Amino acid sequence: MALGRKSGADTKKTNHDVAVDNSYHPDLLKGPEYDPESTKEGNRKMNRVVGPILLADSDVESAVSVRKQLELEAENQIKYRTCSWQKTAALLFSEYICLAIMSFPYSYSILGLVPGLIVTVAVAASVLYTSLILWEFCLRHPEVRDVCDLGQMLYFGWRWAWYLTAAMFLLNNTFIQGLHVLVGAKYLNTISNGALCTVGFSAIVAIISFLCSLPRTFDTLSKLATFSAFFTFVSVLLAAIFAGIEDHPAGYTLDPTAKPNGEPVVLVIPAAGTTFVSAMNAFLNISYTFIGQITLPSFIAEMKNPKDFPKALWAITIAEIILFSCVGAVVYVYTGTQYNTSPAFGSLGNDLYKKVSFSFMIPTLIFLGVLYASVSARFIFFRIFEGTRHKGNHTVVGWASWAGILAVTWIIAFIIAEVIPFFSDLLSLMSSLFDSFFGFIFWGTAYMRMRRADYGPGWVQRRGIRGLWGFSVNVIIILIGAFMLTAGTYATVQSIIDNYKANKVGGVFSCKSNAL
């Protein structure tokens, strides 16, 4: 079976040579939760953007309503639609309450404290808004299983859109796995004082993460998610407390000939001479930490009642703004601009404080990479075994294939960690290449497609001020994504080049310690 999603039996070719289903059976898609042709939100009818073009070759399971999907998997040994909104919130907390929080003090040191806090709130608000657009799109199309299905539907059923989205989806997830391999090696080097070659530490982290990735449902992983998020919260809280109670940050000196030197300097606004490359990287670091819409369709697809998703979304957004702002500001104020590191654990002058606070990050170092590995493996596994007994039951072929897919993703992640061994730059690269689409461009497009489906070709004029406002906001969202993709990628690549020239690491696949 081909990976690309095909239409059902009754199709007709478009000018783009893609099969688009224009004659699906309405009774097939009915259910008490959703009828995609008449789903209500408030008193507004929510039309489908397109017909169910995503049917597999030999079955129609993916296009049925939520209730139908639950009925179809009732007899399976492995059930997928099992998550309540509380379990989904736990997954979101584990995804967002993550190691990248410790890049905020660095970002604030570049942007200045006040602009940094403003950017934090603005990015959080934009992500909340675009996530609600995504959720609305998923309500209209309950057959959507992941962001790749959604990408094909957004861009008029074009097959190339599915493949392009799939490539970005898998690369994004694998880069995140690579980030956690990199930081896992940093932790082991820090805690052991460089007792082993860094490449060896990276391999150890990748192997442990692979073993932890083997569970096949999010319901199983959600039990670990709360544990992971809790320990991350403790870790960043301890880092903030330790930064406040210790005498001086790491590297502190009053020697005028040393660089850096002096008392910690806190900037309210950016320093004079701040370069575009450094400011853009700071912005991308903040954006990366908030933007996680790439996994949301997968989470919504496993909810028993997807209408409850906003409860989880609002909870995590409020928690993010409070936690990210407070931790970033407190650590920055006490460590200053000149002594700041990314991640900020390296700014702590007391070696014991640094190791204790960093150690509480261990569950997240493993779990979050595991979560993204699982999302990628499910994406590939479902398309290989859709409609077979291997998908929903315990079979040797099913488990061997699942393990093989995971192994490939972790090997690639290991390579990424060794080739781009810079924490902040790796965050920025993922943000510019992937979050530009998955955080902004896709959802501005989705808004316009949905409003056109509801109100027709002249929807902007027909809706008056609301139409003009909605159109303008979402054009800005798309332009922000385009700016991140172009200028952001340039800034990140230049930063990587500069860091290699500055000999901040030993090189690719280096044994040199990368301890904080």
Side-chain angles (χ1 to χ4, degrees), residues 151-164:
Q152 183 179 359
M153 298 180 81
L154 282 180
Y155 295 100
F156 312 102
W158 294 338
R159 187 70 56 81
W160 65 264
W162 190 94
Y163 284 110
L164 181 60

Side-chain angles (χ1 to χ4, degrees), residues 97-180:
I97 309 300
C98 64
L99 177 67
I101 297 172
M102 299 309 290
S103 70
F104 274 66
Y106 160 77
S107 294
Y108 291 172
S109 73
I110 300 297
L111 298 175
L113 186 58
V114 172
L117 290 170
I118 292 172
V119 169
T120 299
V121 175
V123 172
S126 69
V127 170
L128 174 64
Y129 175 72
T130 54
S131 296
L132 290 171
I133 292 174
L134 183 159
W135 166 70
E136 181 186 336
F137 195 96
C138 289
L139 288 189
R140 297 167 185 250
H141 306 89
E143 72 273 22
V144 168
R145 297 181 299 187
D146 50 54
V147 74
C148 304
D149 291 348
L150 199 151
Q152 183 179 359
M153 298 180 81
L154 282 180
Y155 295 100
F156 312 102
W158 294 338
R159 187 70 56 81
W160 65 264
W162 190 94
Y163 284 110
L164 181 60
T165 307
M168 292 192 298
F169 176 73
L170 294 173
L171 283 171
N172 176 81
N173 292 356
T174 308
F175 266 75
I176 292 174
Q177 292 171 241
L179 176 72
H180 285 78

Side-chain angles (χ1 to χ4, degrees), residues 68-297:
K68 293 289 186 182
Q69 291 176 23
L70 290 169
E71 291 173 353
L72 285 168
E73 68 175 21
E75 301 302 320
N76 289 350
Q77 294 173 346
I78 301 173
K79 298 177 176 61
Y80 293 98
R81 273 205 182 269
T82 54
C83 283
S84 63
W85 76 264
Q86 291 91 344
K87 289 181 178 178
T88 302
L91 289 168
L92 290 173
F93 270 102
S94 68
E95 181 184 3
Y96 289 112
I97 309 300
C98 64
L99 177 67
I101 297 172
M102 299 309 290
S103 70
F104 274 66
Y106 160 77
S107 294
Y108 291 172
S109 73
I110 300 297
L111 298 175
L113 186 58
V114 172
L117 290 170
I118 292 172
V119 169
T120 299
V121 175
V123 172
S126 69
V127 170
L128 174 64
Y129 175 72
T130 54
S131 296
L132 290 171
I133 292 174
L134 183 159
W135 166 70
E136 181 186 336
F137 195 96
C138 289
L139 288 189
R140 297 167 185 250
H141 306 89
E143 72 273 22
V144 168
R145 297 181 299 187
D146 50 54
V147 74
C148 304
D149 291 348
L150 199 151
Q152 183 179 359
M153 298 180 81
L154 282 180
Y155 295 100
F156 312 102
W158 294 338
R159 187 70 56 81
W160 65 264
W162 190 94
Y163 284 110
L164 181 60
T165 307
M168 292 192 298
F169 176 73
L170 294 173
L171 283 171
N172 176 81
N173 292 356
T174 308
F175 266 75
I176 292 174
Q177 292 171 241
L179 176 72
H180 285 78
V181 171
L182 169 64
V183 181
K186 280 182 178 288
Y187 169 77
L188 293 176
N189 265 317
T190 301
I191 208 72
S192 68
N193 297 316
L196 187 68
C197 171
T198 295
V199 176
F201 277 143
S202 297
I204 289 171
V205 174
I207 292 169
I208 293 172
S209 299
F210 162 73
L211 295 174
C212 293
S213 302
L214 291 173
R216 278 167 60 177
T217 66
F218 288 146
D219 182 56
T220 303
L221 291 178
S222 70
K223 296 178 176 63
L224 301 175
T226 304
F227 177 78
S228 170
F230 172 75
F231 273 83
T232 301
F233 176 76
V234 172
S235 175
V236 298
L237 189 63
L238 284 175
I241 293 172
F242 290 157
I245 66 174
E246 69 178 3
D247 293 333
H248 305 292
Y252 173 83
T253 179
L254 295 179
D255 182 356
T257 63
K259 290 186 178 181
N261 66 72
E263 295 297 331
V265 175
V266 178
L267 300 174
V268 177
I269 59 175
T274 299
T275 66
F276 171 77
V277 169
S278 60
M280 191 68 191
N281 279 339
F283 166 73
L284 291 171
N285 275 207
I286 292 174
S287 298
Y288 168 83
T289 313
F290 280 102
I291 295 171
Q293 293 99 314
I294 190 171
T295 59
L296 298 190

